[in-house]
Amino acid sequence: MPITKPGKALGKSIKLKNVKLATGHGKKGVEADLNITPMVDMLTMIVIFLLMSFSASGEILFATKDIVLPPAYHTTELERAPVVAVSRATIGFEGQFVMNASDVTEGAYPDWKLTPLFTYLEAEREAWTAAHSGEEFKGDVIIQSDNEVPFSVLKLVMSTCAKAKYINTNFAIQQIGKSEAALGI
Amino acid sequence: MSGGGSPAPSKSGKKSVDFTVNLIPTIDLMSVLISFLLITAVWTQLARIATDQAISQNTSAPPQQKEKEKNVNILVTADEAVMNITGDRPPKRVPRLPEDKYFKEVRSALRGLKERVPAESPKVMLAAEDKVQYKNIIQIMDICLDLGLSAITVANPNTMQGELL
């Protein structure tokens, strides 16, 4: 191979004349194309993920810090119904304070009817009946209870609901995967 | 950038076949959607377990009906879970063990009872003692549902004590 005089070079292997050819007259272009296809792909993936995890049931129940729902695997989707919230300290109805849970004992309510809660439930049933004349009252109620509430309180709440003709009891729970659930498998 | 939908004429005067789709409106739409979905996202999946109830203090089925129906009865106490099929004696007792073992034993006992009940989907009458926590009742319900015992009724503990203890 004959020995030749090296020309001007940009690096070790890129000759400057090749760069000149690529940029036209040797001037650097001020416009640069940004490849936005990966960005659109990423945005699409995020939108799909968020749409799949979208749930409207959050509007039925409002999570509060003093109510930790128990986890369960076998569940049904929430439907709109009056919500009785039972924490260790209070009992509420549709977001309103009704009574202190510490007052709820079998001795204080020997007829198993929590009068303050019964008043709210009855008013709700009457309002529903007035708004849906001719329709049969289904008696659905959702009990949103903290996982450490004793059954002594729950049974009085359920009994009160039954006395107010709310006989279809739905227990609010936090849905978990099968592997996390305590199913004894 | 990638804007401009019309093809640029080439030097030779012929229209180029290359076509660039304007992606800017798509990105705008995606950004709005992501913002909306992030704001309205619910990260805890809330659901329900539907039950009937026969817990009212005065609730008691007539004795004839009680004899006809073969239910799976469960009474959860602080120390054990007691269960049987209506009328069967003695009831099956599962003592309170560490959680994993306890639930395995409860599941095994319930499966045995389910196989002995003639009805395809027998009714489960579930009650608990006063001190038992809500989460324990839900866990037993979850096992029942997993075994196909979907007709759960929360019963009066006094009635169940008479049946099981």
mmCIF file of all heavy atoms in Angstrom, chain A residues 106-143:
data_model
loop_
_atom_site.group_PDB
_atom_site.id
_atom_site.type_symbol
_atom_site.label_atom_id
_atom_site.label_comp_id
_atom_site.label_asym_id
_atom_site.label_seq_id
_atom_site.Cartn_x
_atom_site.Cartn_y
_atom_site.Cartn_z
ATOM 1 N N GLU A 106 -74.381 -4.657 75.288
ATOM 2 C CA GLU A 106 -75.656 -5.369 75.370
ATOM 3 C C GLU A 106 -76.463 -4.898 76.584
ATOM 4 O O GLU A 106 -77.697 -4.848 76.546
ATOM 5 C CB GLU A 106 -75.371 -6.870 75.459
ATOM 6 C CG GLU A 106 -76.385 -7.705 74.737
ATOM 7 C CD GLU A 106 -76.004 -9.169 74.678
ATOM 8 O OE1 GLU A 106 -74.820 -9.472 74.481
ATOM 9 O OE2 GLU A 106 -76.908 -10.007 74.853
ATOM 10 N N GLY A 107 -75.735 -4.495 77.650
ATOM 11 C CA GLY A 107 -76.404 -4.003 78.855
ATOM 12 C C GLY A 107 -77.113 -2.684 78.610
ATOM 13 O O GLY A 107 -78.219 -2.454 79.118
ATOM 14 N N ALA A 108 -76.476 -1.799 77.826
ATOM 15 C CA ALA A 108 -77.076 -0.492 77.550
ATOM 16 C C ALA A 108 -78.233 -0.596 76.555
ATOM 17 O O ALA A 108 -79.136 0.231 76.562
ATOM 18 C CB ALA A 108 -75.999 0.451 77.018
ATOM 19 N N TYR A 109 -78.170 -1.588 75.681
ATOM 20 C CA TYR A 109 -79.240 -1.777 74.683
ATOM 21 C C TYR A 109 -79.738 -3.226 74.760
ATOM 22 O O TYR A 109 -79.402 -4.052 73.904
ATOM 23 C CB TYR A 109 -78.721 -1.455 73.279
ATOM 24 C CG TYR A 109 -78.302 -0.011 73.114
ATOM 25 C CD1 TYR A 109 -76.984 0.371 73.321
ATOM 26 C CD2 TYR A 109 -79.231 0.960 72.786
ATOM 27 C CE1 TYR A 109 -76.592 1.696 73.196
ATOM 28 C CE2 TYR A 109 -78.858 2.292 72.663
ATOM 29 C CZ TYR A 109 -77.534 2.649 72.868
ATOM 30 O OH TYR A 109 -77.171 3.965 72.744
ATOM 31 N N PRO A 110 -80.520 -3.554 75.790
ATOM 32 C CA PRO A 110 -80.939 -4.952 75.968
ATOM 33 C C PRO A 110 -81.832 -5.485 74.841
ATOM 34 O O PRO A 110 -81.927 -6.680 74.642
ATOM 35 C CB PRO A 110 -81.695 -4.927 77.303
ATOM 36 C CG PRO A 110 -82.034 -3.518 77.554
ATOM 37 C CD PRO A 110 -81.034 -2.681 76.847
ATOM 38 N N ASP A 111 -82.480 -4.551 74.115
ATOM 39 C CA ASP A 111 -83.322 -4.999 72.987
ATOM 40 C C ASP A 111 -82.538 -5.085 71.674
ATOM 41 O O ASP A 111 -83.112 -5.299 70.616
ATOM 42 C CB ASP A 111 -84.521 -4.058 72.823
ATOM 43 C CG ASP A 111 -84.094 -2.617 72.619
ATOM 44 O OD1 ASP A 111 -82.887 -2.320 72.810
ATOM 45 O OD2 ASP A 111 -84.946 -1.782 72.265
ATOM 46 N N TRP A 112 -81.207 -4.918 71.740
ATOM 47 C CA TRP A 112 -80.308 -4.996 70.579
ATOM 48 C C TRP A 112 -80.698 -3.976 69.506
ATOM 49 O O TRP A 112 -80.591 -4.240 68.320
ATOM 50 C CB TRP A 112 -80.276 -6.402 69.981
ATOM 51 C CG TRP A 112 -79.580 -7.417 70.834
ATOM 52 C CD1 TRP A 112 -79.408 -7.389 72.183
ATOM 53 C CD2 TRP A 112 -78.954 -8.629 70.394
ATOM 54 N NE1 TRP A 112 -78.733 -8.492 72.615
ATOM 55 C CE2 TRP A 112 -78.452 -9.278 71.539
ATOM 56 C CE3 TRP A 112 -78.795 -9.234 69.155
ATOM 57 C CZ2 TRP A 112 -77.779 -10.498 71.472
ATOM 58 C CZ3 TRP A 112 -78.138 -10.448 69.089
ATOM 59 C CH2 TRP A 112 -77.629 -11.064 70.233
ATOM 60 N N LYS A 113 -81.146 -2.825 69.918
ATOM 61 C CA LYS A 113 -81.535 -1.777 68.965
ATOM 62 C C LYS A 113 -80.823 -0.485 69.368
ATOM 63 O O LYS A 113 -81.159 0.110 70.406
ATOM 64 C CB LYS A 113 -83.052 -1.603 69.004
ATOM 65 C CG LYS A 113 -83.586 -0.547 68.061
ATOM 66 C CD LYS A 113 -85.108 -0.540 68.143
ATOM 67 C CE LYS A 113 -85.701 0.736 67.642
ATOM 68 N NZ LYS A 113 -87.161 0.776 67.818
ATOM 69 N N LEU A 114 -79.847 -0.072 68.563
ATOM 70 C CA LEU A 114 -79.116 1.167 68.833
ATOM 71 C C LEU A 114 -79.978 2.319 68.324
ATOM 72 O O LEU A 114 -80.013 2.607 67.123
ATOM 73 C CB LEU A 114 -77.752 1.144 68.135
ATOM 74 C CG LEU A 114 -76.868 -0.088 68.403
ATOM 75 C CD1 LEU A 114 -75.609 -0.046 67.538
ATOM 76 C CD2 LEU A 114 -76.486 -0.175 69.879
ATOM 77 N N THR A 115 -80.679 2.954 69.234
ATOM 78 C CA THR A 115 -81.704 3.933 68.851
ATOM 79 C C THR A 115 -81.175 5.058 67.954
ATOM 80 O O THR A 115 -81.827 5.367 66.943
ATOM 81 C CB THR A 115 -82.362 4.524 70.117
ATOM 82 O OG1 THR A 115 -82.545 3.457 71.047
ATOM 83 C CG2 THR A 115 -83.695 5.150 69.817
ATOM 84 N N PRO A 116 -80.011 5.674 68.264
ATOM 85 C CA PRO A 116 -79.545 6.762 67.370
ATOM 86 C C PRO A 116 -79.308 6.267 65.939
ATOM 87 O O PRO A 116 -79.699 6.935 64.972
ATOM 88 C CB PRO A 116 -78.230 7.217 68.005
ATOM 89 C CG PRO A 116 -78.285 6.736 69.407
ATOM 90 C CD PRO A 116 -79.083 5.490 69.407
ATOM 91 N N LEU A 117 -78.718 5.079 65.809
ATOM 92 C CA LEU A 117 -78.470 4.531 64.465
ATOM 93 C C LEU A 117 -79.775 4.152 63.782
ATOM 94 O O LEU A 117 -79.957 4.393 62.582
ATOM 95 C CB LEU A 117 -77.547 3.301 64.566
ATOM 96 C CG LEU A 117 -77.215 2.592 63.255
ATOM 97 C CD1 LEU A 117 -76.465 3.524 62.301
ATOM 98 C CD2 LEU A 117 -76.379 1.341 63.511
ATOM 99 N N PHE A 118 -80.695 3.609 64.565
ATOM 100 C CA PHE A 118 -81.999 3.202 64.021
ATOM 101 C C PHE A 118 -82.723 4.405 63.419
ATOM 102 O O PHE A 118 -83.330 4.306 62.340
ATOM 103 C CB PHE A 118 -82.839 2.561 65.129
ATOM 104 C CG PHE A 118 -84.185 2.084 64.657
ATOM 105 C CD1 PHE A 118 -84.316 0.865 64.008
ATOM 106 C CD2 PHE A 118 -85.325 2.857 64.842
ATOM 107 C CE1 PHE A 118 -85.555 0.427 63.556
ATOM 108 C CE2 PHE A 118 -86.559 2.427 64.395
ATOM 109 C CZ PHE A 118 -86.679 1.206 63.761
ATOM 110 N N THR A 119 -82.624 5.558 64.094
ATOM 111 C CA THR A 119 -83.287 6.780 63.610
ATOM 112 C C THR A 119 -82.758 7.163 62.227
ATOM 113 O O THR A 119 -83.531 7.483 61.319
ATOM 114 C CB THR A 119 -83.043 7.934 64.606
ATOM 115 O OG1 THR A 119 -83.322 7.458 65.914
ATOM 116 C CG2 THR A 119 -83.897 9.142 64.308
ATOM 117 N N TYR A 120 -81.428 7.122 62.083
ATOM 118 C CA TYR A 120 -80.826 7.455 60.786
ATOM 119 C C TYR A 120 -81.261 6.465 59.701
ATOM 120 O O TYR A 120 -81.590 6.846 58.585
ATOM 121 C CB TYR A 120 -79.295 7.444 60.894
ATOM 122 C CG TYR A 120 -78.703 8.717 61.445
ATOM 123 C CD1 TYR A 120 -78.505 8.899 62.810
ATOM 124 C CD2 TYR A 120 -78.325 9.754 60.594
ATOM 125 C CE1 TYR A 120 -77.955 10.061 63.321
ATOM 126 C CE2 TYR A 120 -77.763 10.927 61.092
ATOM 127 C CZ TYR A 120 -77.592 11.070 62.463
ATOM 128 O OH TYR A 120 -77.050 12.225 62.943
ATOM 129 N N LEU A 121 -81.226 5.171 60.054
ATOM 130 C CA LEU A 121 -81.567 4.131 59.067
ATOM 131 C C LEU A 121 -83.027 4.256 58.619
ATOM 132 O O LEU A 121 -83.344 4.122 57.431
ATOM 133 C CB LEU A 121 -81.322 2.741 59.666
ATOM 134 C CG LEU A 121 -79.865 2.301 59.810
ATOM 135 C CD1 LEU A 121 -79.748 1.103 60.746
ATOM 136 C CD2 LEU A 121 -79.260 1.960 58.462
ATOM 137 N N GLU A 122 -83.883 4.518 59.585
ATOM 138 C CA GLU A 122 -85.304 4.629 59.280
ATOM 139 C C GLU A 122 -85.574 5.838 58.375
ATOM 140 O O GLU A 122 -86.341 5.747 57.414
ATOM 141 C CB GLU A 122 -86.094 4.753 60.581
ATOM 142 C CG GLU A 122 -87.536 4.332 60.434
ATOM 143 C CD GLU A 122 -88.274 4.340 61.756
ATOM 144 O OE1 GLU A 122 -87.943 5.163 62.625
ATOM 145 O OE2 GLU A 122 -89.179 3.507 61.906
ATOM 146 N N ALA A 123 -84.889 6.961 58.681
ATOM 147 C CA ALA A 123 -85.052 8.168 57.862
ATOM 148 C C ALA A 123 -84.581 7.908 56.432
ATOM 149 O O ALA A 123 -85.227 8.332 55.462
ATOM 150 C CB ALA A 123 -84.260 9.317 58.478
ATOM 151 N N GLU A 124 -83.486 7.182 56.313
ATOM 152 C CA GLU A 124 -82.948 6.853 54.986
ATOM 153 C C GLU A 124 -83.920 5.960 54.206
ATOM 154 O O GLU A 124 -84.151 6.156 53.018
ATOM 155 C CB GLU A 124 -81.589 6.146 55.159
ATOM 156 C CG GLU A 124 -80.931 5.694 53.868
ATOM 157 C CD GLU A 124 -80.384 6.822 53.017
ATOM 158 O OE1 GLU A 124 -80.169 7.923 53.561
ATOM 159 O OE2 GLU A 124 -80.214 6.608 51.803
ATOM 160 N N ARG A 125 -84.489 4.987 54.917
ATOM 161 C CA ARG A 125 -85.438 4.074 54.258
ATOM 162 C C ARG A 125 -86.685 4.823 53.801
ATOM 163 O O ARG A 125 -87.176 4.619 52.688
ATOM 164 C CB ARG A 125 -85.828 2.936 55.221
ATOM 165 C CG ARG A 125 -86.838 1.950 54.634
ATOM 166 C CD ARG A 125 -86.976 0.717 55.489
ATOM 167 N NE ARG A 125 -87.238 1.000 56.891
ATOM 168 C CZ ARG A 125 -88.431 1.305 57.401
ATOM 169 N NH1 ARG A 125 -89.490 1.355 56.627
ATOM 170 N NH2 ARG A 125 -88.572 1.546 58.686
ATOM 171 N N GLU A 126 -87.171 5.725 54.646
ATOM 172 C CA GLU A 126 -88.359 6.503 54.284
ATOM 173 C C GLU A 126 -88.077 7.415 53.081
ATOM 174 O O GLU A 126 -88.912 7.555 52.191
ATOM 175 C CB GLU A 126 -88.832 7.332 55.476
ATOM 176 C CG GLU A 126 -89.623 6.476 56.475
ATOM 177 C CD GLU A 126 -89.861 7.171 57.808
ATOM 178 O OE1 GLU A 126 -89.542 8.367 57.943
ATOM 179 O OE2 GLU A 126 -90.349 6.489 58.722
ATOM 180 N N ALA A 127 -86.878 7.999 53.063
ATOM 181 C CA ALA A 127 -86.493 8.856 51.931
ATOM 182 C C ALA A 127 -86.418 8.038 50.646
ATOM 183 O O ALA A 127 -86.862 8.479 49.578
ATOM 184 C CB ALA A 127 -85.144 9.518 52.216
ATOM 185 N N TRP A 128 -85.874 6.827 50.771
ATOM 186 C CA TRP A 128 -85.756 5.945 49.589
ATOM 187 C C TRP A 128 -87.147 5.542 49.092
ATOM 188 O O TRP A 128 -87.425 5.573 47.895
ATOM 189 C CB TRP A 128 -84.953 4.695 49.950
ATOM 190 C CG TRP A 128 -84.588 3.856 48.745
ATOM 191 C CD1 TRP A 128 -83.432 3.926 48.027
ATOM 192 C CD2 TRP A 128 -85.404 2.848 48.105
ATOM 193 N NE1 TRP A 128 -83.467 3.022 46.986
ATOM 194 C CE2 TRP A 128 -84.660 2.357 47.002
ATOM 195 C CE3 TRP A 128 -86.667 2.325 48.357
ATOM 196 C CZ2 TRP A 128 -85.145 1.360 46.164
ATOM 197 C CZ3 TRP A 128 -87.160 1.337 47.501
ATOM 198 C CH2 TRP A 128 -86.396 0.864 46.421
ATOM 199 N N THR A 129 -88.010 5.190 50.021
ATOM 200 C CA THR A 129 -89.364 4.751 49.657
ATOM 201 C C THR A 129 -90.132 5.895 48.980
ATOM 202 O O THR A 129 -90.854 5.668 48.000
ATOM 203 C CB THR A 129 -90.127 4.280 50.914
ATOM 204 O OG1 THR A 129 -89.279 3.413 51.653
ATOM 205 C CG2 THR A 129 -91.396 3.535 50.553
ATOM 206 N N ALA A 130 -89.957 7.108 49.486
ATOM 207 C CA ALA A 130 -90.645 8.262 48.890
ATOM 208 C C ALA A 130 -90.125 8.530 47.475
ATOM 209 O O ALA A 130 -90.894 8.887 46.578
ATOM 210 C CB ALA A 130 -90.435 9.492 49.771
ATOM 211 N N ALA A 131 -88.828 8.330 47.274
ATOM 212 C CA ALA A 131 -88.222 8.598 45.964
ATOM 213 C C ALA A 131 -88.488 7.481 44.961
ATOM 214 O O ALA A 131 -88.442 7.707 43.760
ATOM 215 C CB ALA A 131 -86.722 8.810 46.120
ATOM 216 N N HIS A 132 -88.717 6.271 45.453
ATOM 217 C CA HIS A 132 -88.930 5.117 44.552
ATOM 218 C C HIS A 132 -90.302 4.496 44.819
ATOM 219 O O HIS A 132 -90.397 3.335 45.222
ATOM 220 C CB HIS A 132 -87.845 4.057 44.753
ATOM 221 C CG HIS A 132 -86.470 4.567 44.531
ATOM 222 N ND1 HIS A 132 -85.747 5.249 45.489
ATOM 223 C CD2 HIS A 132 -85.660 4.503 43.445
ATOM 224 C CE1 HIS A 132 -84.572 5.576 45.009
ATOM 225 N NE2 HIS A 132 -84.479 5.135 43.772
ATOM 226 N N SER A 133 -91.341 5.267 44.636
ATOM 227 C CA SER A 133 -92.681 4.760 44.929
ATOM 228 C C SER A 133 -93.028 3.605 43.974
ATOM 229 O O SER A 133 -92.768 3.673 42.774
ATOM 230 C CB SER A 133 -93.714 5.883 44.805
ATOM 231 O OG SER A 133 -93.637 6.444 43.528
ATOM 232 N N GLY A 134 -93.580 2.553 44.530
ATOM 233 C CA GLY A 134 -93.945 1.393 43.719
ATOM 234 C C GLY A 134 -92.857 0.337 43.663
ATOM 235 O O GLY A 134 -93.114 -0.800 43.296
ATOM 236 N N GLU A 135 -91.631 0.697 44.028
ATOM 237 C CA GLU A 135 -90.531 -0.282 44.008
ATOM 238 C C GLU A 135 -90.399 -0.948 45.371
ATOM 239 O O GLU A 135 -90.671 -0.330 46.408
ATOM 240 C CB GLU A 135 -89.205 0.411 43.673
ATOM 241 C CG GLU A 135 -89.068 0.763 42.205
ATOM 242 C CD GLU A 135 -87.704 1.372 41.908
ATOM 243 O OE1 GLU A 135 -86.688 0.807 42.333
ATOM 244 O OE2 GLU A 135 -87.686 2.436 41.267
ATOM 245 N N GLU A 136 -89.965 -2.202 45.329
ATOM 246 C CA GLU A 136 -89.792 -2.937 46.587
ATOM 247 C C GLU A 136 -88.465 -2.552 47.239
ATOM 248 O O GLU A 136 -87.441 -2.461 46.553
ATOM 249 C CB GLU A 136 -89.803 -4.442 46.307
ATOM 250 C CG GLU A 136 -89.991 -5.277 47.555
ATOM 251 C CD GLU A 136 -89.889 -6.772 47.289
ATOM 252 O OE1 GLU A 136 -89.907 -7.179 46.108
ATOM 253 O OE2 GLU A 136 -89.783 -7.518 48.265
ATOM 254 N N PHE A 137 -88.487 -2.323 48.526
ATOM 255 C CA PHE A 137 -87.277 -1.950 49.256
ATOM 256 C C PHE A 137 -86.390 -3.180 49.434
ATOM 257 O O PHE A 137 -86.807 -4.185 49.999
ATOM 258 C CB PHE A 137 -87.666 -1.367 50.629
ATOM 259 C CG PHE A 137 -86.490 -0.939 51.451
ATOM 260 C CD1 PHE A 137 -85.689 0.130 51.065
ATOM 261 C CD2 PHE A 137 -86.171 -1.603 52.622
ATOM 262 C CE1 PHE A 137 -84.608 0.523 51.825
ATOM 263 C CE2 PHE A 137 -85.093 -1.216 53.394
ATOM 264 C CZ PHE A 137 -84.314 -0.148 52.986
ATOM 265 N N LYS A 138 -85.156 -3.116 48.898
ATOM 266 C CA LYS A 138 -84.272 -4.288 48.920
ATOM 267 C C LYS A 138 -83.626 -4.517 50.276
ATOM 268 O O LYS A 138 -83.329 -5.641 50.653
ATOM 269 C CB LYS A 138 -83.179 -4.129 47.867
ATOM 270 C CG LYS A 138 -83.673 -4.246 46.441
ATOM 271 C CD LYS A 138 -82.505 -4.058 45.486
ATOM 272 C CE LYS A 138 -82.981 -3.986 44.049
ATOM 273 N NZ LYS A 138 -81.888 -3.594 43.147
ATOM 274 N N GLY A 139 -83.356 -3.446 51.002
ATOM 275 C CA GLY A 139 -82.749 -3.578 52.326
ATOM 276 C C GLY A 139 -81.269 -3.859 52.307
ATOM 277 O O GLY A 139 -80.740 -4.561 53.172
ATOM 278 N N ASP A 140 -80.554 -3.310 51.310
ATOM 279 C CA ASP A 140 -79.092 -3.471 51.268
ATOM 280 C C ASP A 140 -78.426 -2.442 52.169
ATOM 281 O O ASP A 140 -78.802 -1.273 52.173
ATOM 282 C CB ASP A 140 -78.579 -3.271 49.837
ATOM 283 C CG ASP A 140 -78.856 -4.471 48.963
ATOM 284 O OD1 ASP A 140 -78.755 -5.598 49.472
ATOM 285 O OD2 ASP A 140 -79.187 -4.281 47.782
ATOM 286 N N VAL A 141 -77.437 -2.886 52.895
ATOM 287 C CA VAL A 141 -76.649 -1.973 53.720
ATOM 288 C C VAL A 141 -75.190 -2.440 53.684
ATOM 289 O O VAL A 141 -74.922 -3.636 53.604
ATOM 290 C CB VAL A 141 -77.203 -1.896 55.171
ATOM 291 C CG1 VAL A 141 -77.056 -3.216 55.908
ATOM 292 C CG2 VAL A 141 -76.549 -0.780 55.956
ATOM 293 N N ILE A 142 -74.281 -1.483 53.683
ATOM 294 C CA ILE A 142 -72.852 -1.826 53.708
ATOM 295 C C ILE A 142 -72.307 -1.502 55.096
ATOM 296 O O ILE A 142 -72.484 -0.382 55.588
ATOM 297 C CB ILE A 142 -72.066 -1.031 52.642
ATOM 298 C CG1 ILE A 142 -72.562 -1.372 51.242
ATOM 299 C CG2 ILE A 142 -70.563 -1.323 52.757
ATOM 300 C CD1 ILE A 142 -71.977 -0.503 50.148
ATOM 301 N N ILE A 143 -71.683 -2.484 55.728
ATOM 302 C CA ILE A 143 -71.035 -2.233 57.023
ATOM 303 C C ILE A 143 -69.539 -2.115 56.774
ATOM 304 O O ILE A 143 -68.887 -3.059 56.352
ATOM 305 C CB ILE A 143 -71.361 -3.346 58.035
ATOM 306 C CG1 ILE A 143 -72.856 -3.324 58.340
ATOM 307 C CG2 ILE A 143 -70.546 -3.182 59.313
ATOM 308 C CD1 ILE A 143 -73.334 -4.348 59.334
#
